[in-house]
Amino acid sequence: MKTLVTGATGKLGKEVVKQLANKGISVLAATRDISKVAKNSNIEPVIFDYEKSETYAVALENVDSIFLIAPPMDPYAHKKIFPFIDAAQEAGVKQIVVNSALGIDANPEAALFKIENYVKNAGFQYAIIRPNFFMDNFTTGFIAPMIAHQNGIFVAAGNGKTAFIATSDIAAVAVRVITDLQNYNGKIINLTGSEALDHDEAAKIISKAKGQEIKYVPISTSEMKKGAMENGMPEPSADMMLALYGATSAGYMAVITNDFEQVIGNKPLSFEDFINSNIK
């Protein structure tokens, strides 16, 4: 079995590649920068870009399975990915596991929802994983510099709670599904942590782990959009991010499922345990 992982050097992709390789699965790690791919005898880096169809053939050669990660915060991702899905079908790929997002079915116009449906209708064996916000955003993601340099968390989440989940747990589910898809074919797996926290509660847990006060400062959507664009995020992507945080402030990301436990057999990592192991 050979599995192609797109977005292989992102937070989730990197973890999926590592866990597949550790199980002895041959992995093609698809990325625009192969220098970032970890060295392992089971990992083969391959240059890949959704927008460069000339990279498809090498990436899809002798591939049985794909773990599909869309470009993050891209409202037009479906337009870039549909041609790749077509190429995968022509290349004889048997199965695709799609990384999507929790609650995406509430917006039929969302790029990820369109990608889900395109894969469903293309004739592959498939499964869809819909994770909640990553715990890793606080340690290696966009919130980490706020904590490190400003001793605070500045997002437009209001008092809404989120059942955060670690990318290591998402990857564990992805690996189980990829390697046993006959038992998950056609299924949608909604992944959350086992507790829902607001950002003030998250800040208190981080404060305790760091031994210094980290404050949560709720900001307006206009402030968050301005900051994101000043840091180089295109306006359509900033608007997409605000929609996600709008869902958070409205309470939609507080939902807790037991899908992780059903697949893996134990509870997902708690936010406190994750922070204690990963915060710097």
Side-chain angles (χ1 to χ4, degrees):
M1 182 178 186
K2 185 181 280 190
T3 298
L4 175 74
V5 177
T6 66
T9 53
K11 284 191 288 292
L12 177 58
K14 182 167 54 178
E15 189 65 32
V16 172
V17 167
K18 181 178 79 173
Q19 291 192 29
L20 282 169
N22 287 346
K23 284 190 171 293
I25 305 294
S26 295
V27 186
L28 277 173
T31 177
R32 285 176 291 186
D33 185 357
I34 60 173
S35 69
K36 295 180 180 178
V37 175
K39 290 178 173 58
N40 182 297
S41 59
N42 291 322
I43 300 171
E44 181 184 344
V46 60
I47 294 173
F48 176 78
D49 189 328
Y50 284 119
E51 297 186 81
K52 295 181 179 178
S53 59
E54 63 270 23
T55 66
Y56 293 0
V58 173
L60 291 167
E61 189 173 357
N62 298 321
V63 164
D64 305 290
S65 177
I66 297 173
F67 186 63
L68 189 71
I69 300 177
M73 293 297 165
D74 186 345
Y76 310 113
H78 57 293
K79 295 180 180 179
K80 300 170 185 175
I81 288 179
F82 287 174
F84 174 66
I85 295 170
D86 293 341
Q89 193 176 37
E90 291 173 13
V93 172
K94 297 179 179 66
Q95 64 183 50
I96 295 183
V97 177
V98 180
N99 181 66
S100 187
L102 187 72
I104 201 69
D105 49 324
N107 181 8
E109 293 304 309
L112 287 174
F113 191 66
K114 290 180 179 180
I115 292 166
E116 287 184 6
N117 284 328
Y118 202 81
V119 169
K120 283 182 189 178
N121 295 324
F124 300 98
Q125 284 192 314
Y126 74 91
I128 293 163
I129 295 174
R130 293 177 178 166
N132 208 332
F133 278 88
F134 299 169
M135 292 179 182
D136 309 60
N137 288 336
F138 294 90
T139 56
T140 57
F142 76 101
I143 296 174
M146 302 178 195
I147 294 170
H149 304 303
Q150 297 172 275
N151 295 325
I153 298 168
F154 306 87
V155 293
N159 296 318
K161 291 180 180 283
T162 302
F164 300 103
I165 185 163
T167 55
S168 57
D169 280 342
I170 302 167
V173 170
V175 169
R176 180 68 58 85
V177 171
I178 289 164
T179 56
D180 189 21
L181 193 58
Q182 63 268 28
N183 287 319
Y184 297 97
N185 187 33
K187 294 196 173 172
I188 295 171
I189 301 166
N190 295 297
L191 291 180
T192 73
S194 56
E195 59 184 341
L197 304 169
D198 63 34
H199 282 72
D200 187 59
E201 291 169 317
K204 286 174 180 171
I205 290 169
I206 295 167
S207 298
K208 183 178 177 183
K210 286 181 71 69
Q212 67 183 93
E213 187 178 18
I214 304 298
K215 290 185 177 181
Y216 167 50
V217 181
I219 60 174
S220 69
T221 54
S222 59
E223 287 176 296
M224 191 169 184
K225 180 175 179 177
K226 181 173 180 285
M229 291 178 67
E230 285 176 351
N231 282 298
M233 183 177 281
E235 187 170 10
S237 298
D239 288 335
M240 188 174 176
M241 180 179 68
L242 291 180
L244 291 172
Y245 274 96
T248 300
S249 61
Y252 296 125
M253 310 313 285
V255 63
I256 295 170
T257 74
N258 65 352
D259 288 17
F260 177 87
E261 195 167 355
Q262 287 183 342
V263 175
I264 300 299
N266 52 264
K267 289 189 178 298
L269 191 64
S270 73
F271 187 81
E272 184 170 12
D273 286 345
F274 173 84
I275 291 298
N276 287 338
S277 297
N278 292 282
I279 201 73
K280 295 176 183 177

